[in-house]
C-alpha cells in the first residue's frame, strides 16, 4: 500500500503539470499551494466577528473575492498563485475598492455635531461590477447612493445639525434649496459630495422637522403628532424656504382643529410677519378676524336688549356678567370705542322706564280688566318690577363705564309719574324704585358720576323723601346693596349743594331720623360738617 503523503504529492503534481517547483532558500518548508489552501479551508468556518487575515509579508495583498466566498473576507482567488517571496497574479485585473456600508435611514440621516464633518469618499463605479450581490444589500446600497447632499444647519447659538439628504426631494419641494444645490454643484465634481449650509437658524429642531415633513408619507398624521403650536412654527419655516406643499398641509391642519388663546396670538404674529397667499389661508384668516365690515354696534345693542328682555333670572345674571366683560373698559378684550351709541342706549333706558310705569299702574289696579287678562300667565308682579329695576341699574353701570351717565341723572329726576305712584304704592313694591335712586346717589358720592349742581339738587329734591321712607325696606332686602356706602354717599352728595339747599335737606332728615331711628339713614357725620360750615365758621368770620 502506497504511502498517503506520496499519493497526495502525485495528485498535486497531476493537477498542475508543467509548473516548475522552485524553492527559495529563505523558507524552511515548501509553502502550500493555492489549491491545497482552498481544500483545507473547507473544514473550518471563519467566525463572523473575526477580522480578515492579514498578509504575512508587507509586500503581499489579498486577491479579489471569488463568487462563492463572503465578500471582503480576504480569501485568495484560486486563479492567483503565490510564488515564494512575491505575488504573481495570473490575471491583470486591477484590485477592487472597499464595499459600501449599509444605510440605516430610509430617506435621510441626521447627525448632531459641533462643527461640520468631512464628507465621505465617493463610491467607485467599479462596485457595480461585484458579482452575486444579494438583493437586500443592493437596495440599501442604492438608497445610500441617493443621499447625495449634506445639509448643515447652524443655529444662532453653538448648536449645529448635519443632515444627509436626497437632493432630488429637497429641490422638488423648495426653490430656496434648489438654488443652493445648483450653486453647490458648480463648485464640486460629480464624484464629490455636495454640501449646503444654512446659518442663523432661530430653532434648529423646527427647521429639521420641516425637512422631515418633505419625506412624510402622511403629512396630516405627522402634524397631528406635532400639535398646533409646533405646526405654526413649521408653517413659518415653510414660508421662509418656499415649501408650498408644507404651507398647505400646515394651514389645512391648523384650520381643522381648535386653538388656545396663546396659539391664536401666535398665528396673528405669524401672519403679520410672513406673506402667505390669501387664496390658501383665507379659511384661517376668517377665524382670526372678520373679513368684511363689522357691525359691532348693532350686535352690542342686540345683546343688551336680549339681556333686558330675558325671562330667566339666573340666565339674565350670567348674561349680564358676560356682556359686562365684553364692554367694560377694564376688560382684557379689545373693543371699538364707538361700538355703543349713546342715543341707542338711552332708548333702551326709556323702554325699561315705560315698562316700569306700566307695572306700577298694574300694582295700583289702574289697568282695565281686559288688558290684565293677557298677563295672567306671566310671573308675579313683584318679580317683574324687580327685573326692570335690575335692568335700569345695569344700564346705569354701562353708561357710567362709557362716561355717558350724566343724562341719566336728569332722566331719573324727571320721573314725576313714578314719584306720584310711589306715594300710593305698597312698601313691598315701591322700595324697588329707591334701589335705582341708591345707585345714582352712590355713583355721585363716590365720584364716578359728575353733573351740574342744579341736576344734583333736582334728583335729591325728587327722590330724597322716598329714600327716607324706603330705607328700612332696603336694609331688609338689600339685594347686594351696600347700606353703609349708601349712607356715606348720600351725605356726600348733599354736601355738594349750596348751604341753603343743604339746610333744607338736613332739616328734613333730622325730623325723619328723630321719629324712625335706624329705619332712616344715619347722616350724622354729614350733618356735623354742614353745621360747622354754616355756623361755626360764620361766627369766626364775623369776629
Amino acid at each position: 500500500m502506497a504511502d498517503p503523503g506520496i499519493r497526495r504529492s502525485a495528485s498535486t503534481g497531476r493537477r498542475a503539470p508543467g509548473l516548475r517547483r522552485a524553492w527559495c532558500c529563505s523558507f524552511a518548508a515548501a509553502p502550500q499551494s493555492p489549491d491545497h489552501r482552498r481544500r483545507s479551508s473547507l473544514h473550518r468556518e471563519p467566525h463572523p466577528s473575526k477580522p480578515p487575515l492579514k498578509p504575512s509579508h508587507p509586500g503581499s495583498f489579498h486577491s479579489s473575492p471569488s463568487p462563492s466566498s463572503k465578500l471582503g473576507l480576504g480569501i485568495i482567488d484560486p486563479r492567483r498563485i503565490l510564488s515564494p517571496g512575491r505575488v504573481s497574479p495570473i490575471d491583470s485585473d486591477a484590485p477592487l475598492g472597499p464595499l459600501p456600508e449599509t444605510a440605516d435611514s430610509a430617506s435621510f440621516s441626521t447627525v448632531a455635531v459641533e462643527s461640520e464633518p468631512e464628507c465621505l469618499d465617493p463610491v467607485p463605479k467599479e462596485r457595480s461590477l461585484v458579482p452575486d450581490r444579494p438583493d437586500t444589500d443592493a437596495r440599501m446600497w442604492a438608497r445610500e447612493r441617493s443621499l447625495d447632499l449634506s445639509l448643515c444647519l447652524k443655529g444662532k447659538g453653538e448648536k449645529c445639525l448635519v443632515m444627509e439628504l436626497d437632493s432630488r426631494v429637497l429641490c422638488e419641494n423648495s426653490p430656496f434649496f434648489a438654488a443652493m444645490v445648483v450653486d453647490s454643484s458648480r463648485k464640486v465634481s460629480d464624484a464629490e459630495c455636495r454640501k449646503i449650509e444654512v446659518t442663523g437658524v432661530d430653532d434648529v429642531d423646527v427647521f429639521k422637522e420641516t425637512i422631515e415633513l418633505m419625506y412624510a408619507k402622511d403629512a396630516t398624521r405627522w402634524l397631528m403628532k406635532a400639535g398646533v403650536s409646533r405646526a405654526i412654527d413649521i408653517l413659518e419655516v415653510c414660508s421662509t424656504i418656499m415649501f408650498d406643499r408644507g404651507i398647505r398641509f400646515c394651514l389645512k391642519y391648523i384650520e381643522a382643529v381648535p386653538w388656545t388663546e396663546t396659539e391664536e396670538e401666535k398665528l396673528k404674529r405669524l401672519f403679520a410677519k410672513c406673506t402667505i397667499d390669501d387664496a390658501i389661508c383665507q379659511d384661517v384668516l376668517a377665524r382670526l378676524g372678520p373679513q368684511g365690515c363689522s357691525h359691532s354696534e348693532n350686535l352690542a345693542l342686540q345683546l343688551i336688549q336680549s339681556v333686558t328682555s330675558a325671562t330667566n333670572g339666573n340666565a339674565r345674571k350670567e348674561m349680564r356678567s358676560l356682556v359686562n366683560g365684553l364692554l367694560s373698559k377694564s376688560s382684557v378684550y379689545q373693543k371699538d370705542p364707538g361700538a355703543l351709541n349713546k342715543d341707542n342706549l338711552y332708548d333702551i333706558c326709556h323702554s325699561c322706564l315705560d315698562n316700569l310705569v306700566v307695572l306700577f299702574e298694574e300694582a295700583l289696579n289702574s289697568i282695565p280688566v281686559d288688558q290684565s287678562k293677557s298677563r295672567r300667565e306671566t310671573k308675579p308682579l313683584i318679580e317683574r318690577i324687580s327685573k326692570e329695576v335690575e335692568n335700569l341699574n345695569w344700564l346705569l353701570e354701562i353708561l357710567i363705564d362709557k362716561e355717558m351717565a350724566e343724562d341719566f341723572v336728569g332722566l331719573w329726576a324727571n320721573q314725576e309719574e313714578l314719584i306720584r305712584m310711589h306715594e300710593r304704592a305698597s312698601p313691598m313694591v315701591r322700595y324697588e324704585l329707591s334701589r335705582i335712586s341708591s345707585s345714582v346717589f352712590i355713583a355721585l358720592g363716590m365720584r364716578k358720576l359728575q353733573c351740574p349742581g342744579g341736576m344734583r339738587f333736582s334728583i335729591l329734591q325728587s327722590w330724597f323723601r322716598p329714600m327716607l321712607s324706603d330705607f328700612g325696606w332696603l336694609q331688609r332686602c338689600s339685594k347686594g346693596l351696600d347700606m353703609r356706602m349708601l349712607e356715606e354717599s348720600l351725605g356726600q352728595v348733599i354736601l355738594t349743594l349750596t348751604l341753603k339747599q343743604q339746610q333744607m335737606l338736613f332739616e328734613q332728615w333730622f325730623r325723619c331720623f328723630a321719629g324712625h331711628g335706624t329705619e332712616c339713614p344715619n347722616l350724622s357725620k354729614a350733618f356735623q360738617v354742614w353745621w360747622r360750615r354754616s355756623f361755626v365758621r360764620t361766627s369766626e368770620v364775623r369776629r
Side-chain angles (χ1 to χ4, degrees):
M1 186 173 184
D3 184 63
I6 298 174
R7 190 168 54 246
R8 186 166 30 299
S9 300
S11 176
T12 305
R14 284 195 304 271
R15 289 177 181 272
L19 291 178
R20 183 172 56 89
R21 299 175 61 88
W23 307 101
C24 179
C25 61
S26 61
F27 287 88
Q32 292 181 347
S33 67
D35 192 34
H36 183 202
R37 291 182 61 184
R38 186 185 62 178
R39 287 199 306 270
S40 61
S41 65
L42 297 178
H43 297 282
R44 63 179 185 273
E45 294 183 359
H47 196 275
S49 61
K50 187 174 180 180
L53 296 176
K54 296 182 179 180
S56 59
H57 192 274
S60 63
F61 61 95
H62 296 300
S63 119
S64 61
S66 64
S68 60
S69 63
K70 298 292 183 179
L71 296 177
L73 295 181
I75 300 177
I76 299 176
D77 196 308
R79 297 176 299 171
R80 299 177 183 268
I81 301 178
L82 295 177
S83 61
R86 67 184 184 89
V87 178
S88 302
I90 294 177
D91 55 347
S92 60
D93 295 339
L96 297 178
L99 294 176
E101 296 180 358
T102 303
D104 295 333
S105 175
S107 52
F108 61 86
S109 61
T110 307
V111 180
V113 296
E114 294 298 329
S115 61
E116 184 178 358
E118 295 294 332
C119 183
L120 299 176
D121 294 335
V123 181
K125 295 181 179 180
E126 287 79 9
R127 291 183 182 177
S128 61
L129 302 177
V130 176
D132 298 337
R133 185 177 183 87
D135 293 341
T136 303
D137 292 345
R139 285 195 299 269
M140 291 183 178
W141 180 44
R143 189 180 302 128
E144 184 184 53
R145 289 176 63 88
S146 67
L147 304 181
D148 58 345
L149 179 68
S150 177
L151 170 62
C152 180
L153 304 176
K154 292 185 177 180
K156 293 184 176 179
E158 297 181 354
K159 189 171 184 179
C160 179
L161 196 70
V162 177
M163 304 178 70
E164 301 296 331
L165 303 170
D166 184 351
S167 60
R168 179 182 58 82
V169 177
L170 200 64
C171 294
E172 288 176 356
N173 286 279
S174 172
F176 172 81
F177 282 119
M180 297 181 68
V181 171
V182 171
D183 185 63
S184 66
S185 301
R186 297 171 183 170
K187 301 177 182 179
V188 298
S189 62
D190 294 339
E192 292 179 328
C193 178
R194 289 174 289 181
K195 304 177 187 178
I196 59 176
E197 182 178 288
V198 181
T199 59
V201 179
D202 292 332
D203 193 327
V204 174
D205 294 330
V206 174
F207 210 107
K208 168 182 170 290
E209 291 175 2
T210 306
I211 301 298
E212 291 177 358
L213 184 60
M214 297 180 183
Y215 294 85
K217 295 181 179 179
D218 191 341
T220 303
R221 181 173 296 179
W222 190 92
L223 289 170
M224 287 175 61
K225 295 180 179 179
V228 177
S229 181
R230 201 63 164 179
I232 296 173
D233 294 333
I234 294 173
L235 175 61
E236 183 176 354
V237 178
C238 289
S239 175
T240 303
I241 65 176
M242 294 177 284
F243 179 21
D244 294 338
R245 191 167 61 92
I247 293 175
R248 288 193 295 271
F249 284 142
C250 292
L251 289 174
K252 181 180 178 181
Y253 167 69
I254 292 171
E255 192 277 331
V257 296
W259 309 330
T260 63
E261 290 190 9
T262 303
E263 293 165 348
E264 183 176 347
E265 293 299 323
K266 194 173 182 179
L267 267 176
K268 290 180 179 179
R269 290 194 298 269
L270 171 62
F271 283 111
K273 181 169 57 175
C274 301
T275 302
I276 302 177
D277 188 8
D278 293 341
I280 61 177
C281 66
Q282 58 183 355
D283 293 337
V284 176
L285 292 175
R287 286 179 58 179
L288 288 174
Q291 300 301 302
C293 57
S294 176
H295 302 283
S296 58
E297 177 183 344
N298 295 334
L299 179 58
L301 290 173
Q302 291 175 9
L303 294 176
I304 294 173
Q305 289 175 343
S306 298
V307 174
T308 56
S309 60
T311 57
N312 186 284
N314 294 331
R316 188 167 59 250
K317 291 179 181 178
E318 185 70 23
M319 293 164 65
R320 279 202 301 264
S321 177
L322 175 61
V323 175
N324 284 340
L326 299 175
L327 301 179
S328 175
K329 284 185 176 181
S330 60
S331 173
V332 296
Y333 300 101
Q334 296 181 355
K335 298 166 288 297
D336 181 8
L340 284 177
N341 183 272
K342 179 179 177 180
D343 294 336
N344 292 332
L345 282 176
Y346 275 98
D347 288 342
I348 301 176
C349 292
H350 281 288
S351 176
C352 292
L353 286 171
D354 293 340
N355 293 337
L356 199 56
V357 170
V358 172
L359 291 173
F360 266 84
E361 289 176 350
E362 183 180 349
L364 297 175
N365 296 323
S366 58
I367 297 180
V369 178
D370 56 295
Q371 294 185 19
S372 63
K373 289 181 180 180
S374 61
R375 302 178 182 268
R376 288 179 181 176
E377 302 300 329
T378 59
K379 294 184 178 182
L381 179 64
I382 298 177
E383 185 175 345
R384 286 183 280 146
I385 292 175
S386 178
K387 170 198 166 186
E388 296 299 336
V389 170
E390 289 177 355
N391 289 337
L392 286 167
N393 280 335
W394 178 56
L395 291 169
L396 176 60
E397 292 178 4
I398 297 176
L399 291 169
I400 291 174
D401 189 71
K402 299 295 180 182
E403 299 179 357
M404 304 175 182
E406 180 180 331
D407 292 343
F408 189 90
V409 179
L411 178 64
W412 183 242
N414 295 326
Q415 296 299 314
E416 298 178 358
E417 191 171 1
L418 282 175
I419 294 172
R420 187 170 56 253
M421 287 189 291
H422 179 276
E423 298 176 354
R424 298 184 290 120
S426 169
M428 62 185 304
V429 174
R430 72 187 186 193
Y431 87 96
E432 293 283 357
L433 298 178
S434 292
R435 290 176 56 204
I436 301 176
S437 302
S438 299
S439 299
V440 177
F441 292 146
I442 290 175
L444 290 170
M446 301 300 294
R447 303 176 185 178
K448 295 180 179 179
L449 177 60
Q450 296 82 37
C451 61
M455 193 176 294
R456 294 196 303 271
F457 178 69
S458 176
I459 193 171
L460 282 167
Q461 193 176 22
S462 299
W463 292 103
F464 184 64
R465 184 184 296 275
M467 174 64 65
L468 297 179
S469 303
D470 298 333
F471 191 81
W473 280 87
L474 288 173
Q475 284 180 315
R476 290 185 287 271
C477 304
S478 62
K479 297 182 179 180
L481 183 63
D482 190 336
M483 301 305 298
R484 188 177 296 276
M485 184 181 294
L486 173 60
E487 290 178 324
E488 183 179 351
S489 299
L490 188 57
Q492 292 295 328
V493 175
I494 295 175
L495 291 175
T496 61
L497 305 176
T498 63
L499 291 177
K500 185 177 180 180
Q501 293 170 345
Q502 293 180 36
Q503 181 176 349
M504 183 184 68
L505 294 172
F506 278 123
E507 287 178 356
Q508 184 177 351
W509 164 78
F510 200 87
R511 290 191 296 267
C512 179
F513 189 73
H516 297 88
T518 57
E519 293 290 312
C520 186
N522 190 345
L523 306 179
S524 299
K525 291 183 180 180
F527 181 83
Q528 293 174 13
V529 174
W530 165 75
W531 182 271
R532 186 173 62 252
R533 290 175 179 174
S534 300
F535 301 103
V536 177
R537 292 182 179 178
T538 303
S539 60
E540 291 178 355
V541 170
R542 288 177 180 177
R543 291 178 185 177

